Amino acid sequence: MFECLFLEERVKENKYAMRILEAFPDVPVRDIRKVEDVFGRVKKPYLQKRTNLNLFIGRKEGNLVKEAPDAYGLDGEPHFYFIHAYNCIYECEYCYLQGYFNSPDLVFYVNHEEIVAEMHQTVKDNSDAKRVWFHAGEFSDSLALSHITKEWQIYWDFLESNPAAMMELRTKSVNIKSILQLKPLDNAVVSFSLSPGEALKSYDHKTPSLKGRLKALASLANSGFKVALHLDPIIDTETLDRDYRLLLQQITQVVKPDQIEYISLGVVRFTKDDYQQFKKNYPASKMQAAEFVTSFDNKVRYSRPHRLNILNRVRDICLDAGVDDSNVYLCMEN
Protein backbone atom coordinates (compact mmCIF):
# COMPACT_ATOMS: atom_id res chain seq x y z
CA MET A 1 0.00 0.00 0.00
CA PHE A 2 2.79 2.47 0.88
CA GLU A 3 6.11 3.22 -0.79
CA CYS A 4 7.70 4.70 2.32
CA LEU A 5 6.92 5.27 5.99
CA PHE A 6 8.07 8.58 7.48
CA LEU A 7 8.46 8.26 11.25
CA GLU A 8 8.99 11.09 13.71
CA GLU A 9 11.92 10.31 15.98
CA ARG A 10 9.96 11.38 19.06
CA VAL A 11 7.26 8.69 18.58
CA LYS A 12 9.53 5.70 17.96
CA GLU A 13 8.62 4.21 21.34
CA ASN A 14 4.91 5.03 21.05
CA LYS A 15 2.87 1.81 21.16
CA TYR A 16 0.52 2.94 18.40
CA ALA A 17 3.45 3.84 16.14
CA MET A 18 5.02 0.45 16.76
CA ARG A 19 1.76 -1.30 15.83
CA ILE A 20 1.70 0.53 12.51
CA LEU A 21 5.32 -0.29 11.77
CA GLU A 22 4.67 -3.95 12.54
CA ALA A 23 1.89 -3.98 9.93
CA PHE A 24 4.29 -2.96 7.16
CA PRO A 25 7.54 -4.85 7.82
CA ASP A 26 8.71 -4.66 4.20
CA VAL A 27 8.16 -0.92 3.68
CA PRO A 28 11.28 1.26 4.10
CA VAL A 29 11.22 3.65 7.06
CA ARG A 30 12.70 7.14 6.98
CA ASP A 31 13.30 9.05 10.22
CA ILE A 32 12.12 12.66 10.31
CA ARG A 33 12.00 15.36 12.98
CA LYS A 34 8.39 16.43 12.39
CA VAL A 35 5.66 15.46 9.94
CA GLU A 36 5.27 19.07 8.86
CA ASP A 37 8.91 19.22 7.77
CA VAL A 38 8.13 16.87 4.88
CA PHE A 39 4.38 16.34 4.43
CA GLY A 40 2.92 18.79 1.92
CA ARG A 41 6.09 20.86 1.61
CA VAL A 42 6.19 20.08 -2.11
CA LYS A 43 2.92 19.96 -4.04
CA LYS A 44 1.94 16.38 -4.84
CA PRO A 45 -1.04 15.92 -7.20
CA TYR A 46 -4.11 14.37 -5.58
CA LEU A 47 -4.44 11.62 -8.19
CA GLN A 48 -0.88 10.51 -7.56
CA LYS A 49 -2.43 8.57 -4.67
CA ARG A 50 -3.30 5.92 -7.26
CA THR A 51 0.34 4.99 -7.80
CA ASN A 52 2.49 6.59 -5.13
CA LEU A 53 1.32 6.85 -1.54
CA ASN A 54 3.38 7.41 1.59
CA LEU A 55 2.47 7.22 5.27
CA PHE A 56 3.61 9.68 7.93
CA ILE A 57 3.52 8.78 11.63
CA GLY A 58 3.88 11.50 14.23
CA ARG A 59 2.56 13.59 17.10
CA LYS A 60 -0.20 16.14 16.54
CA GLU A 61 0.48 19.54 18.06
CA GLY A 62 -1.69 22.60 18.65
CA ASN A 63 -5.43 22.30 19.15
CA LEU A 64 -6.24 18.60 19.19
CA VAL A 65 -9.97 19.17 19.65
CA LYS A 66 -11.66 21.88 17.59
CA GLU A 67 -15.15 23.36 17.58
CA ALA A 68 -17.20 22.08 14.65
CA PRO A 69 -18.86 24.45 12.14
CA ASP A 70 -22.52 25.40 12.46
CA ALA A 71 -25.03 22.74 11.40
CA TYR A 72 -22.36 20.03 11.70
CA GLY A 73 -24.55 17.85 13.90
CA LEU A 74 -27.86 17.75 15.76
CA ASP A 75 -29.01 21.18 16.92
CA GLY A 76 -28.87 22.34 20.52
CA GLU A 77 -25.69 20.59 21.60
CA PRO A 78 -22.00 21.57 21.34
CA HIS A 79 -20.06 19.74 18.65
CA PHE A 80 -16.30 19.27 18.34
CA TYR A 81 -14.03 17.20 16.15
CA PHE A 82 -10.66 15.73 16.96
CA ILE A 83 -7.77 15.19 14.59
CA HIS A 84 -5.99 11.86 14.63
CA ALA A 85 -5.31 11.41 10.91
CA TYR A 86 -5.06 13.22 7.59
CA ASN A 87 -6.25 11.92 4.21
CA CYS A 88 -7.96 8.77 3.06
CA ILE A 89 -7.21 5.60 1.09
CA TYR A 90 -10.44 6.05 -0.89
CA GLU A 91 -10.91 8.34 -3.88
CA CYS A 92 -14.18 10.24 -4.31
CA GLU A 93 -14.66 12.85 -7.01
CA TYR A 94 -16.32 15.31 -4.63
CA CYS A 95 -13.81 14.88 -1.79
CA TYR A 96 -12.76 18.21 -0.26
CA LEU A 97 -9.39 16.74 0.70
CA GLN A 98 -8.24 17.04 -2.92
CA GLY A 99 -7.98 20.79 -2.44
CA TYR A 100 -7.23 20.92 1.26
CA PHE A 101 -3.70 19.55 1.57
CA ASN A 102 -0.76 19.75 -0.80
CA SER A 103 -0.49 15.97 -0.72
CA PRO A 104 -2.73 12.88 -0.75
CA ASP A 105 -0.25 11.01 1.49
CA LEU A 106 -1.67 9.67 4.74
CA VAL A 107 -0.76 10.95 8.19
CA PHE A 108 -1.43 9.01 11.39
CA TYR A 109 -1.05 10.92 14.64
CA VAL A 110 -0.37 8.60 17.54
CA ASN A 111 -0.55 10.83 20.63
CA HIS A 112 -4.02 9.55 21.49
CA GLU A 113 -3.52 10.02 25.23
CA GLU A 114 -3.06 13.76 24.66
CA ILE A 115 -6.12 13.92 22.42
CA VAL A 116 -8.21 12.16 25.07
CA ALA A 117 -6.89 14.50 27.77
CA GLU A 118 -8.08 17.47 25.72
CA MET A 119 -11.46 15.80 25.26
CA HIS A 120 -11.72 15.42 29.06
CA GLN A 121 -11.04 19.14 29.40
CA THR A 122 -13.58 20.00 26.72
CA VAL A 123 -16.28 18.10 28.64
CA LYS A 124 -15.37 20.06 31.79
CA ASP A 125 -15.46 23.36 29.87
CA ASN A 126 -18.97 22.53 28.65
CA SER A 127 -20.36 21.22 31.94
CA ASP A 128 -23.62 23.13 31.40
CA ALA A 129 -24.41 21.03 28.31
CA LYS A 130 -26.38 17.83 28.62
CA ARG A 131 -24.19 16.18 25.96
CA VAL A 132 -20.93 17.15 24.30
CA TRP A 133 -20.25 15.66 20.86
CA PHE A 134 -16.87 14.59 19.50
CA HIS A 135 -16.59 13.62 15.84
CA ALA A 136 -13.84 11.58 14.19
CA GLY A 137 -13.39 11.43 10.45
CA GLU A 138 -13.25 15.10 9.51
CA PHE A 139 -9.95 14.71 7.63
CA SER A 140 -9.87 10.94 7.20
CA ASP A 141 -11.97 7.79 7.32
CA SER A 142 -12.40 6.62 10.91
CA LEU A 143 -12.35 2.89 10.23
CA ALA A 144 -10.63 2.21 6.90
CA LEU A 145 -7.29 1.24 8.50
CA SER A 146 -8.42 0.83 12.10
CA HIS A 147 -7.35 -2.83 12.15
CA ILE A 148 -3.81 -1.48 11.86
CA THR A 149 -3.97 1.64 14.03
CA LYS A 150 -6.05 -0.02 16.80
CA GLU A 151 -6.69 3.24 18.65
CA TRP A 152 -10.37 3.07 19.50
CA GLN A 153 -10.08 1.26 22.85
CA ILE A 154 -8.65 4.36 24.57
CA TYR A 155 -11.55 6.45 23.26
CA TRP A 156 -14.04 3.84 24.47
CA ASP A 157 -12.42 4.08 27.91
CA PHE A 158 -12.89 7.84 27.77
CA LEU A 159 -16.56 7.47 26.87
CA GLU A 160 -17.20 5.02 29.70
CA SER A 161 -15.82 7.50 32.21
CA ASN A 162 -17.66 10.46 30.62
CA PRO A 163 -21.35 9.64 30.11
CA ALA A 164 -22.02 13.25 29.02
CA ALA A 165 -19.65 12.79 26.06
CA MET A 166 -20.94 11.50 22.72
CA MET A 167 -18.63 10.27 19.99
CA GLU A 168 -19.32 9.72 16.30
CA LEU A 169 -17.04 7.73 14.00
CA ARG A 170 -17.70 8.72 10.38
CA THR A 171 -16.87 6.14 7.74
CA LYS A 172 -17.43 4.64 4.30
CA SER A 173 -15.54 1.53 5.30
CA VAL A 174 -16.73 -2.00 5.92
CA ASN A 175 -13.69 -2.59 8.15
CA ILE A 176 -15.64 -2.91 11.39
CA LYS A 177 -13.56 -5.67 13.02
CA SER A 178 -11.89 -3.25 15.45
CA ILE A 179 -15.28 -1.93 16.62
CA LEU A 180 -16.90 -5.34 17.02
CA GLN A 181 -14.07 -6.20 19.42
CA LEU A 182 -15.31 -3.41 21.70
CA LYS A 183 -18.51 -3.36 23.68
CA PRO A 184 -21.51 -1.29 22.54
CA LEU A 185 -21.88 2.01 24.37
CA ASP A 186 -24.86 4.34 24.58
CA ASN A 187 -22.60 7.31 23.82
CA ALA A 188 -20.75 5.93 20.79
CA VAL A 189 -22.21 6.10 17.27
CA VAL A 190 -20.80 4.70 14.03
CA SER A 191 -22.17 6.61 11.04
CA PHE A 192 -22.01 5.49 7.42
CA SER A 193 -21.97 7.76 4.38
CA LEU A 194 -24.34 6.33 1.79
CA SER A 195 -25.50 7.25 -1.70
CA PRO A 196 -27.66 5.40 -4.22
CA GLY A 197 -25.84 2.57 -5.96
CA GLU A 198 -25.39 4.33 -9.30
CA ALA A 199 -23.96 7.42 -7.62
CA LEU A 200 -21.45 5.27 -5.74
CA LYS A 201 -20.34 3.67 -9.00
CA SER A 202 -19.99 7.05 -10.71
CA TYR A 203 -18.29 9.12 -8.01
CA ASP A 204 -16.95 6.91 -5.19
CA HIS A 205 -13.83 5.24 -6.52
CA LYS A 206 -12.09 2.44 -4.63
CA THR A 207 -14.71 2.51 -1.89
CA PRO A 208 -16.79 -0.36 -0.53
CA SER A 209 -20.01 -1.08 -2.41
CA LEU A 210 -23.43 -0.06 -1.16
CA LYS A 211 -24.17 -3.73 -0.44
CA GLY A 212 -21.00 -4.01 1.63
CA ARG A 213 -21.70 -0.84 3.61
CA LEU A 214 -25.26 -1.94 4.34
CA LYS A 215 -23.98 -5.30 5.55
CA ALA A 216 -21.53 -3.55 7.89
CA LEU A 217 -24.28 -1.21 9.10
CA ALA A 218 -26.56 -4.17 9.88
CA SER A 219 -23.78 -6.12 11.58
CA LEU A 220 -23.04 -3.26 13.98
CA ALA A 221 -26.70 -2.49 14.68
CA ASN A 222 -27.53 -6.13 15.32
CA SER A 223 -24.54 -6.38 17.67
CA GLY A 224 -25.96 -3.58 19.80
CA PHE A 225 -23.93 -0.64 18.48
CA LYS A 226 -25.60 2.69 17.76
CA VAL A 227 -25.56 3.59 14.07
CA ALA A 228 -26.37 6.66 12.00
CA LEU A 229 -26.38 7.71 8.36
CA HIS A 230 -25.01 10.54 6.28
CA LEU A 231 -26.88 10.79 3.00
CA ASP A 232 -24.24 13.18 1.81
CA PRO A 233 -23.36 14.36 -0.73
CA ILE A 234 -26.68 14.31 -2.54
CA ILE A 235 -26.08 14.90 -6.25
CA ASP A 236 -29.11 15.99 -8.24
CA THR A 237 -30.28 13.74 -11.07
CA GLU A 238 -33.49 13.25 -13.03
CA THR A 239 -34.11 10.06 -11.06
CA LEU A 240 -33.25 11.46 -7.63
CA ASP A 241 -36.61 10.68 -5.96
CA ARG A 242 -36.72 7.15 -7.30
CA ASP A 243 -33.08 6.52 -6.41
CA TYR A 244 -33.48 7.68 -2.79
CA ARG A 245 -36.74 5.79 -2.30
CA LEU A 246 -34.87 2.66 -3.37
CA LEU A 247 -31.96 3.53 -1.09
CA LEU A 248 -34.24 3.96 1.94
CA GLN A 249 -35.91 0.66 1.09
CA GLN A 250 -32.50 -1.01 1.00
CA ILE A 251 -31.54 0.59 4.32
CA THR A 252 -34.75 -0.36 6.13
CA GLN A 253 -34.42 -3.94 4.89
CA VAL A 254 -31.29 -4.34 7.01
CA VAL A 255 -32.00 -2.02 9.96
CA LYS A 256 -35.25 -0.78 11.45
CA PRO A 257 -35.90 2.97 11.30
CA ASP A 258 -35.84 3.19 15.10
CA GLN A 259 -32.32 1.68 15.08
CA ILE A 260 -31.02 4.74 13.22
CA GLU A 261 -29.89 7.42 15.67
CA TYR A 262 -30.04 10.20 13.09
CA ILE A 263 -29.74 10.93 9.38
CA SER A 264 -27.72 13.86 8.08
CA LEU A 265 -28.65 15.26 4.67
CA GLY A 266 -26.32 17.43 2.60
CA VAL A 267 -25.86 18.35 -1.04
CA VAL A 268 -22.56 18.13 -2.88
CA ARG A 269 -20.39 21.16 -2.06
CA PHE A 270 -16.86 22.40 -2.56
CA THR A 271 -14.63 25.18 -1.37
CA LYS A 272 -13.35 27.28 -4.27
CA ASP A 273 -9.98 25.51 -4.15
CA ASP A 274 -11.63 22.09 -4.00
CA TYR A 275 -13.81 22.96 -6.98
CA GLN A 276 -10.83 23.96 -9.10
CA GLN A 277 -9.09 20.71 -8.19
CA PHE A 278 -12.23 18.71 -8.96
CA LYS A 279 -12.52 20.27 -12.43
CA LYS A 280 -8.87 19.50 -13.09
CA ASN A 281 -8.93 15.95 -11.71
CA TYR A 282 -12.23 14.77 -13.18
CA PRO A 283 -12.92 16.58 -16.48
CA ALA A 284 -15.29 13.82 -17.62
CA SER A 285 -17.35 13.79 -14.40
CA LYS A 286 -21.11 14.12 -14.76
CA MET A 287 -20.97 16.80 -12.07
CA GLN A 288 -19.17 19.10 -14.50
CA ALA A 289 -22.58 19.90 -16.00
CA ALA A 290 -24.14 20.97 -12.69
CA GLU A 291 -25.27 24.57 -12.20
CA PHE A 292 -23.25 25.49 -9.14
CA VAL A 293 -23.10 28.93 -7.51
CA THR A 294 -21.08 30.43 -4.66
CA SER A 295 -23.34 30.29 -1.60
CA PHE A 296 -23.55 32.23 1.69
CA ASP A 297 -20.51 30.49 3.20
CA ASN A 298 -18.39 30.75 0.03
CA LYS A 299 -19.03 27.08 -0.74
CA VAL A 300 -19.64 26.15 -4.38
CA ARG A 301 -22.92 24.25 -4.62
CA TYR A 302 -26.48 24.40 -5.93
CA SER A 303 -28.42 27.61 -5.41
CA ARG A 304 -30.26 27.79 -2.10
CA PRO A 305 -33.79 27.26 -3.57
CA HIS A 306 -32.50 24.34 -5.62
CA ARG A 307 -30.67 22.59 -2.80
CA LEU A 308 -33.46 23.13 -0.25
CA ASN A 309 -35.87 21.60 -2.72
CA ILE A 310 -33.55 18.58 -3.05
CA LEU A 311 -33.02 18.28 0.70
CA ASN A 312 -36.71 18.53 1.56
CA ARG A 313 -37.60 15.89 -1.02
CA VAL A 314 -35.05 13.48 0.42
CA ARG A 315 -36.18 14.35 3.96
CA ASP A 316 -39.76 13.44 3.01
CA ILE A 317 -38.53 10.14 1.61
CA CYS A 318 -36.79 9.41 4.93
CA LEU A 319 -39.96 10.24 6.87
CA ASP A 320 -42.06 8.06 4.55
CA ALA A 321 -39.65 5.21 5.34
CA GLY A 322 -40.45 5.56 9.06
CA VAL A 323 -37.57 7.73 10.29
CA ASP A 324 -38.60 10.21 12.99
CA ASP A 325 -38.51 13.84 11.83
CA SER A 326 -36.52 14.92 14.89
CA ASN A 327 -33.72 12.56 13.85
CA VAL A 328 -33.17 14.12 10.41
CA TYR A 329 -31.06 17.27 10.08
CA LEU A 330 -29.58 19.30 7.24
CA CYS A 331 -25.80 19.39 7.27
CA MET A 332 -24.00 22.71 6.75
CA GLU A 333 -27.24 24.61 6.12
CA ASN A 334 -28.18 27.59 8.31
Side-chain angles (χ1 to χ4, degrees):
M1 180 179 294
F2 301 112
E3 288 200 350
C4 184
L5 303 182
F6 291 84
L7 176 68
E8 286 188 353
E9 295 176 354
R10 58 185 174 178
V11 301
K12 282 186 174 182
E13 303 301 319
N14 179 285
K15 66 178 180 180
Y16 299 102
M18 289 190 286
R19 287 175 186 173
I20 298 167
L21 293 175
E22 289 170 0
F24 302 102
D26 299 323
V27 179
V29 179
R30 176 181 166 187
D31 291 343
I32 57 175
R33 188 181 69 89
K34 291 179 64 175
V35 167
E36 293 74 18
D37 291 343
V38 184
F39 173 74
R41 292 297 295 270
V42 177
K43 177 72 174 178
K44 183 176 180 179
Y46 177 72
L47 295 185
Q48 199 170 327
K49 70 188 300 179
R50 296 174 178 174
T51 56
N52 178 350
L53 199 61
N54 297 311
L55 173 61
F56 292 78
I57 307 168
R59 174 179 176 268
K60 183 73 175 72
E61 297 181 323
N63 293 333
L64 307 179
V65 177
K66 298 187 177 184
E67 188 173 1
D70 291 339
Y72 192 86
L74 292 166
D75 287 340
E77 297 170 327
H79 290 263
F80 299 86
Y81 63 89
F82 59 97
I83 302 169
H84 69 294
Y86 286 160
N87 283 326
C88 180
I89 60 172
Y90 304 134
E91 179 195 329
C92 300
E93 292 187 5
Y94 48 77
C95 182
Y96 67 89
L97 293 175
Q98 63 188 307
Y100 197 89
F101 298 114
N102 275 337
S103 172
D105 288 337
L106 270 64
V107 179
F108 288 157
Y109 291 114
V110 294
N111 52 321
H112 297 291
E113 290 85 356
E114 292 180 87
I115 297 173
V116 167
E118 196 160 316
M119 293 167 73
H120 275 289
Q121 186 60 49
T122 303
V123 172
K124 291 180 181 178
D125 293 343
N126 291 270
S127 58
D128 57 334
K130 183 178 179 180
R131 299 193 301 184
V132 181
W133 282 85
F134 297 95
H135 302 271
E138 175 67 11
F139 295 110
S140 61
D141 188 288
S142 296
L143 298 184
L145 296 176
S146 58
H147 63 296
I148 294 170
T149 53
K150 300 178 182 178
E151 73 270 49
W152 292 123
Q153 181 64 64
I154 189 173
Y155 293 92
W156 249 242
D157 294 342
F158 160 76
L159 292 171
E160 285 198 271
S161 64
N162 286 271
M166 292 289 300
M167 189 169 73
E168 179 196 41
L169 306 184
R170 296 186 173 190
T171 189
K172 292 181 179 178
S173 178
V174 299
N175 184 24
I176 58 174
K177 181 179 179 181
S178 63
I179 300 301
L180 289 173
Q181 292 173 345
L182 304 171
K183 71 176 183 179
L185 298 177
D186 287 339
N187 52 344
V189 181
V190 179
S191 64
F192 288 83
S193 294
L194 299 178
S195 298
E198 287 305 312
L200 290 184
K201 293 177 184 178
S202 296
Y203 305 116
D204 288 25
H205 307 303
K206 301 181 181 179
T207 64
S209 66
L210 175 60
K211 181 179 179 181
R213 295 188 212 182
L214 291 174
K215 183 179 179 180
L217 172 76
S219 180
L220 286 174
N222 293 333
S223 297
F225 291 88
K226 291 184 177 294
V227 296
L229 302 175
H230 292 274
L231 305 187
D232 190 349
I234 299 171
I235 299 168
D236 195 16
T237 64
E238 292 182 357
T239 59
L240 182 138
D241 293 73
R242 183 188 70 191
D243 294 343
Y244 275 88
R245 285 195 188 95
L246 175 59
L247 178 60
L248 265 296
Q249 289 175 9
Q250 293 169 313
I251 292 169
T252 54
Q253 284 173 356
V254 298
V255 293
K256 298 176 182 178
D258 60 7
Q259 288 180 288
I260 303 171
E261 293 296 306
Y262 49 84
I263 298 180
S264 166
L265 306 180
V267 299
V268 60
R269 54 198 177 274
F270 304 90
T271 67
K272 290 182 179 180
D273 289 342
D274 298 337
Y275 188 55
Q276 294 305 314
Q277 285 297 312
F278 155 72
K279 291 196 295 183
K280 177 182 178 181
N281 291 334
Y282 304 102
S285 174
K286 297 176 183 178
M287 280 190 290
Q288 292 281 4
E291 295 183 3
F292 292 129
V293 300
T294 302
S295 61
F296 69 94
D297 55 0
N298 291 319
K299 295 287 195 308
V300 177
R301 50 184 165 182
Y302 305 122
S303 68
R304 183 170 175 80
H306 185 185
R307 66 179 185 267
L308 289 181
N309 175 268
I310 293 170
L311 292 168
N312 285 324
R313 283 155 56 195
V314 177
R315 179 201 286 269
D316 287 344
I317 291 170
C318 293
L319 302 187
D320 290 343
V323 180
D324 190 275
D325 184 45
S326 64
N327 292 334
V328 181
Y329 73 93
L330 306 185
C331 183
M332 306 301 285
E333 292 286 348
N334 285 344

